[in-house]
Amino acid sequence: MKNLKLYIFLMAVLPWLSLPLLGKQTFRKFLPGTLFMGIYLMFEGRLAEKRKWWWFPFKIKPNVLGEMPLIWGPFFIGSFWIMKYTYKKFNLYLLVNILIDSLFTYYCLDIFKKFGYVSLVRLTKFQLSIVFLFKTLVLYGFQVFYDKVIRGHSDSTHQ
């Protein structure tokens, strides 16, 4: 599709327009976890590339992961929003993530494939769902660890 670059650009940039609505406190509180996940996703992308889990025929530049717009756009900013409303409510956090990840896996992925942006190669959609579930647990676990160990806040002293 000839407008693919524009769509990818918008997908990466539009979520950032919601950043001021998060509030400074939310941004500061969850920045370490979201940055950790962004870096984690970049390493995962390299591993996925080597193991051919998925394929991004769309290239931003040589040696730049095709999923960078997803990682640093909707996934990064979306993590702030999800954490803002679900942190310390693990069941809700898990439910929201499963719903959003399923929407991406079972609906958006097909659209992206039609546009020529990404397709699964050696992973099924169910396996991708498991990968997403793992990342969901890693993000939450990192944030809890960060709050308790690095910041020194317990559940009773910090929202």
Side-chain angles (χ1 to χ4, degrees):
M1 177 171 242
K2 69 180 190 178
N3 290 327
L4 181 61
K5 286 185 180 183
L6 174 63
Y7 292 135
I8 300 303
F9 174 79
L10 291 174
M11 176 184 66
V13 173
L14 288 178
W16 283 87
L17 298 178
S18 73
L19 197 62
L21 303 173
L22 278 170
K24 287 181 185 178
Q25 184 177 351
T26 298
F27 181 77
R28 280 195 292 258
K29 180 177 181 177
F30 298 119
L31 181 61
T34 54
L35 278 175
F36 171 78
M37 280 311 296
I39 294 165
Y40 175 95
L41 290 171
M42 289 172 48
F43 282 106
E44 178 193 74
R46 290 286 181 212
L47 178 67
E49 194 174 61
K50 287 179 184 171
R51 294 193 175 170
K52 297 184 182 359
W53 288 352
W54 48 76
W55 180 55
F56 283 83
F58 175 84
K59 293 290 179 198
I60 300 166
K61 289 184 173 184
N63 298 321
V64 175
L65 291 172
E67 61 256 46
M68 284 295 203
L70 276 173
I71 293 171
W72 298 108
F75 289 171
F76 183 71
I77 300 299
S79 294
F80 280 108
W81 284 103
I82 291 170
M83 294 299 279
K84 176 178 179 148
Y85 290 108
T86 65
Y87 188 58
K88 303 286 179 160
K89 302 169 194 157
F90 182 73
N91 290 338
L92 180 61
Y93 171 81
L94 196 57
L95 177 65
V96 167
N97 273 281
I98 288 170
L99 290 173
I100 291 172
D101 294 344
S102 295
L103 178 69
F104 177 82
T105 301
Y106 294 97
Y107 179 71
C108 294
L109 202 58
D110 290 337
I111 294 170
F112 286 151
K113 186 177 181 176
K114 285 180 188 174
F115 288 152
Y117 179 57
V118 64
S119 60
L120 293 177
V121 180
R122 290 191 176 159
L123 283 186
T124 65
K125 287 182 177 182
F126 178 74
Q127 290 169 325
L128 182 61
S129 296
I130 300 301
V131 170
F132 274 124
L133 180 60
F134 180 75
K135 289 185 275 202
T136 292
L137 298 174
V138 168
L139 174 58
Y140 199 88
F142 180 89
Q143 189 65 45
V144 169
F145 170 82
Y146 183 83
D147 282 351
K148 287 184 179 178
V149 176
I150 308 297
R151 280 186 165 155
H153 291 125
S154 68
D155 286 347
S156 61
T157 61
H158 194 63
Q159 180 190 350

